[in-house]
Coordinates of all heavy atoms in Angstrom, one line a residue:
Q183 N 34.6 87.1 -25.5 CA 35.3 87.7 -24.4 C 36.8 87.9 -24.7 O 37.5 87.0 -25.0 CB 35.2 86.8 -23.2 CG 33.8 86.9 -22.5 CD 33.7 86.0 -21.3 OE1 33.6 84.8 -21.4 NE2 33.9 86.6 -20.1
R184 N 37.2 89.1 -24.7 CA 38.6 89.5 -25.0 C 39.4 89.3 -23.7 O 39.0 89.5 -22.6 CB 38.7 90.9 -25.5 CG 38.1 91.1 -26.9 CD 38.1 92.6 -27.3 NE 37.6 92.7 -28.6 CZ 38.4 93.0 -29.7 NH1 39.8 93.1 -29.5 NH2 38.0 93.1 -30.9
Q185 N 40.7 89.0 -24.0 CA 41.7 88.9 -22.9 C 43.1 89.1 -23.5 O 43.2 89.3 -24.7 CB 41.6 87.6 -22.2 CG 42.0 86.4 -23.0 CD 42.3 85.1 -22.2 OE1 42.5 85.2 -21.0 NE2 42.3 84.0 -22.9
G186 N 44.1 89.2 -22.6 CA 45.4 89.4 -23.1 C 46.1 88.1 -23.5 O 45.9 87.1 -22.9
W187 N 46.9 88.3 -24.6 CA 47.6 87.1 -25.1 C 49.1 87.6 -25.4 O 49.3 88.7 -25.9 CB 47.0 86.6 -26.4 CG 45.6 86.2 -26.3 CD1 44.5 87.1 -26.4 CD2 45.0 84.9 -26.1 NE1 43.3 86.4 -26.2 CE2 43.6 85.1 -26.1 CE3 45.6 83.7 -26.0 CZ2 42.8 84.0 -25.9 CZ3 44.7 82.6 -25.8 CH2 43.3 82.7 -25.8
W188 N 50.0 86.6 -25.2 CA 51.4 86.8 -25.6 C 51.5 86.2 -27.0 O 51.2 85.0 -27.2 CB 52.4 86.2 -24.7 CG 52.8 87.0 -23.5 CD1 52.6 86.6 -22.2 CD2 53.4 88.3 -23.4 NE1 53.1 87.6 -21.3 CE2 53.6 88.6 -22.1 CE3 53.9 89.1 -24.4 CZ2 54.2 89.8 -21.7 CZ3 54.4 90.3 -24.0 CH2 54.6 90.6 -22.7
V189 N 52.0 87.0 -28.0 CA 52.2 86.5 -29.3 C 53.7 86.4 -29.6 O 54.5 87.4 -29.4 CB 51.6 87.4 -30.4 CG1 51.8 86.8 -31.8 CG2 50.1 87.5 -30.1
Y190 N 54.3 85.2 -30.0 CA 55.7 85.0 -30.2 C 56.0 84.9 -31.7 O 55.4 84.1 -32.4 CB 56.1 83.7 -29.5 CG 56.1 83.8 -28.0 CD1 54.9 83.5 -27.3 CD2 57.2 84.1 -27.2 CE1 54.8 83.6 -25.9 CE2 57.1 84.2 -25.8 CZ 56.0 83.9 -25.2 OH 55.9 84.0 -23.8
S191 N 56.9 85.8 -32.1 CA 57.3 85.7 -33.5 C 58.5 84.8 -33.7 O 59.2 84.4 -32.8 CB 57.7 87.1 -34.0 OG 56.7 88.0 -33.9
E192 N 58.6 84.3 -35.0 CA 59.7 83.4 -35.3 C 61.0 84.2 -35.4 O 62.1 83.6 -35.3 CB 59.5 82.7 -36.6 CG 58.3 81.7 -36.5 CD 57.9 81.1 -37.8 OE1 58.5 81.5 -38.8 OE2 57.1 80.1 -37.8
T193 N 60.9 85.5 -35.7 CA 62.1 86.4 -35.8 C 61.9 87.6 -34.9 O 61.0 87.6 -34.0 CB 62.3 86.8 -37.3 OG1 61.2 87.6 -37.6 CG2 62.4 85.6 -38.2
Q194 N 62.6 88.7 -35.2 CA 62.4 89.9 -34.4 C 61.4 90.8 -35.1 O 61.2 92.0 -34.6 CB 63.8 90.7 -34.3 CG 64.8 90.0 -33.5 CD 66.0 90.8 -33.2 OE1 66.1 92.0 -33.7 NE2 67.0 90.3 -32.5
E195 N 60.7 90.3 -36.1 CA 59.7 91.1 -36.7 C 58.3 90.8 -36.2 O 58.1 89.7 -35.6 CB 59.7 90.9 -38.3 CG 61.0 91.2 -38.9 CD 61.4 92.6 -38.8 OE1 60.4 93.5 -38.9 OE2 62.6 93.0 -38.6
R196 N 57.3 91.7 -36.4 CA 55.9 91.4 -36.0 C 55.0 92.2 -37.0 O 55.5 93.2 -37.6 CB 55.7 91.9 -34.6 CG 55.8 93.4 -34.3 CD 55.0 93.8 -33.1 NE 55.2 95.2 -32.7 CZ 54.7 96.2 -33.3 NH1 53.8 96.0 -34.3 NH2 54.9 97.5 -33.0
P197 N 53.7 91.8 -37.0 CA 52.8 92.6 -37.9 C 52.7 94.0 -37.3 O 52.9 94.3 -36.1 CB 51.5 91.8 -37.8 CG 51.9 90.4 -37.3 CD 53.1 90.6 -36.5
T198 N 52.3 94.9 -38.2 CA 52.1 96.3 -37.8 C 50.8 96.4 -37.0 O 50.0 95.5 -37.1 CB 52.1 97.2 -39.0 OG1 51.0 96.9 -39.8 CG2 53.4 97.1 -39.8
K199 N 50.7 97.6 -36.4 CA 49.4 97.8 -35.7 C 48.2 97.8 -36.6 O 47.2 97.2 -36.3 CB 49.4 99.2 -35.0 CG 50.1 99.3 -33.6 CD 49.8 100.6 -33.0 CE 50.3 100.7 -31.6 NZ 50.1 102.0 -30.9
R200 N 48.4 98.3 -37.8 CA 47.3 98.3 -38.8 C 47.0 96.9 -39.2 O 45.8 96.6 -39.3 CB 47.7 99.2 -40.0 CG 46.6 99.3 -41.1 CD 47.0 100.3 -42.1 NE 46.0 100.5 -43.1 CZ 46.0 101.3 -44.1 NH1 47.1 102.1 -44.3 NH2 45.0 101.4 -45.0
Q201 N 48.0 96.1 -39.5 CA 47.7 94.7 -39.9 C 47.0 93.9 -38.8 O 46.1 93.1 -39.0 CB 49.0 94.0 -40.2 CG 49.7 94.5 -41.5 CD 51.1 93.9 -41.7 OE1 51.8 93.7 -40.8 NE2 51.4 93.7 -43.0
L202 N 47.4 94.2 -37.5 CA 46.7 93.5 -36.4 C 45.3 94.0 -36.3 O 44.3 93.2 -36.0 CB 47.5 93.7 -35.1 CG 48.8 93.0 -35.0 CD1 49.6 93.5 -33.8 CD2 48.6 91.5 -34.9
A203 N 45.1 95.4 -36.4 CA 43.7 95.9 -36.3 C 42.8 95.3 -37.4 O 41.6 95.1 -37.2 CB 43.8 97.4 -36.5
E204 N 43.3 95.0 -38.6 CA 42.5 94.4 -39.6 C 42.1 93.0 -39.2 O 41.1 92.5 -39.7 CB 43.3 94.4 -40.9 CG 43.5 95.7 -41.6 CD 44.5 95.7 -42.8 OE1 45.1 94.6 -43.0 OE2 44.6 96.7 -43.5
Q205 N 42.8 92.4 -38.3 CA 42.5 91.0 -37.8 C 41.6 91.2 -36.5 O 41.3 90.2 -35.9 CB 43.7 90.2 -37.5 CG 44.6 90.0 -38.7 CD 44.0 89.0 -39.6 OE1 43.3 88.1 -39.2 NE2 44.3 89.2 -40.9
D206 N 41.2 92.4 -36.2 CA 40.4 92.7 -35.0 C 41.2 92.4 -33.7 O 40.7 91.8 -32.7 CB 39.1 91.9 -35.0 CG 38.1 92.5 -34.0 OD1 38.2 93.7 -33.6 OD2 37.2 91.7 -33.5
V207 N 42.5 92.7 -33.7 CA 43.4 92.5 -32.6 C 44.0 93.8 -32.2 O 44.4 94.6 -33.1 CB 44.6 91.5 -33.0 CG1 45.6 91.4 -31.9 CG2 44.0 90.2 -33.3
L208 N 44.0 94.1 -30.9 CA 44.6 95.4 -30.4 C 45.9 95.2 -29.8 O 46.1 94.4 -28.9 CB 43.6 96.0 -29.4 CG 44.0 97.3 -28.7 CD1 44.1 98.4 -29.7 CD2 43.1 97.6 -27.6
L209 N 47.0 95.9 -30.4 CA 48.3 95.8 -29.8 C 48.4 96.6 -28.6 O 48.0 97.8 -28.5 CB 49.3 96.2 -30.9 CG 50.8 96.3 -30.5 CD1 51.3 94.8 -30.3 CD2 51.6 97.0 -31.5
Q210 N 49.0 96.0 -27.5 CA 49.2 96.7 -26.2 C 50.6 97.4 -26.2 O 51.6 96.7 -26.3 CB 49.0 95.7 -25.1 CG 47.6 95.2 -24.9 CD 46.7 96.3 -24.4 OE1 46.9 97.0 -23.4 NE2 45.6 96.5 -25.1
D211 N 50.6 98.7 -26.1 CA 51.8 99.4 -26.0 C 52.5 99.1 -24.7 O 51.9 98.9 -23.7 CB 51.6 100.9 -26.1 CG 51.0 101.3 -27.5 OD1 51.4 100.7 -28.5 OD2 50.2 102.3 -27.5
G212 N 53.9 99.1 -24.8 CA 54.7 98.8 -23.6 C 54.9 97.4 -23.3 O 55.6 97.0 -22.3
F213 N 54.4 96.5 -24.1 CA 54.6 95.0 -23.9 C 55.2 94.4 -25.2 O 54.8 93.3 -25.6 CB 53.3 94.3 -23.5 CG 52.8 94.8 -22.2 CD1 51.8 95.8 -22.2 CD2 53.1 94.2 -21.0 CE1 51.3 96.2 -21.0 CE2 52.6 94.6 -19.8 CZ 51.7 95.7 -19.8
D214 N 56.1 95.1 -25.8 CA 56.8 94.6 -27.0 C 58.3 94.5 -26.8 O 58.9 95.5 -26.5 CB 56.5 95.6 -28.2 CG 56.9 95.1 -29.5 OD1 57.6 94.1 -29.6 OD2 56.5 95.7 -30.5
Q215 N 58.8 93.3 -26.8 CA 60.2 93.1 -26.3 C 60.9 92.0 -27.1 O 60.2 91.1 -27.7 CB 60.2 92.7 -24.9 CG 59.3 91.6 -24.5 CD 58.9 91.5 -23.0 OE1 59.1 90.5 -22.4 NE2 58.4 92.6 -22.5
I216 N 62.2 92.0 -27.1 CA 63.0 91.0 -27.7 C 63.3 89.9 -26.6 O 63.7 90.3 -25.5 CB 64.3 91.5 -28.3 CG1 64.0 92.6 -29.4 CG2 65.1 90.4 -29.0 CD1 63.2 92.2 -30.5
T217 N 63.1 88.7 -26.9 CA 63.3 87.6 -25.9 C 64.7 87.2 -25.9 O 65.5 87.5 -26.8 CB 62.4 86.4 -26.3 OG1 62.8 85.9 -27.6 CG2 60.9 86.8 -26.3

C-alpha cells in the first residue's frame, strides 16, 4: 500500500526524479521546499 512520505535531506540536495523512480518512488511536484 502506497502513501505519502516526507523525506528530509541532510543538505539542500535531493535525489533526482530518475534516481527516485529507479527506487520505485514517485516524487510529488509542488512539495519540494527548503526548511
Side-chain angles (χ1 to χ4, degrees):
Q183 285 180 280
R184 289 174 176 258
Q185 66 167 339
W187 304 83
W188 279 119
V189 182
Y190 293 83
S191 298
E192 295 175 347
T193 64
Q194 292 188 4
E195 302 296 323
R196 66 159 172 79
T198 64
K199 274 189 175 183
R200 183 172 181 177
Q201 290 172 324
L202 291 171
E204 290 174 352
Q205 300 289 328
D206 198 22
V207 174
L208 179 64
L209 178 67
Q210 291 291 306
D211 295 326
F213 296 92
D214 191 348
Q215 54 199 233
I216 303 300
T217 61

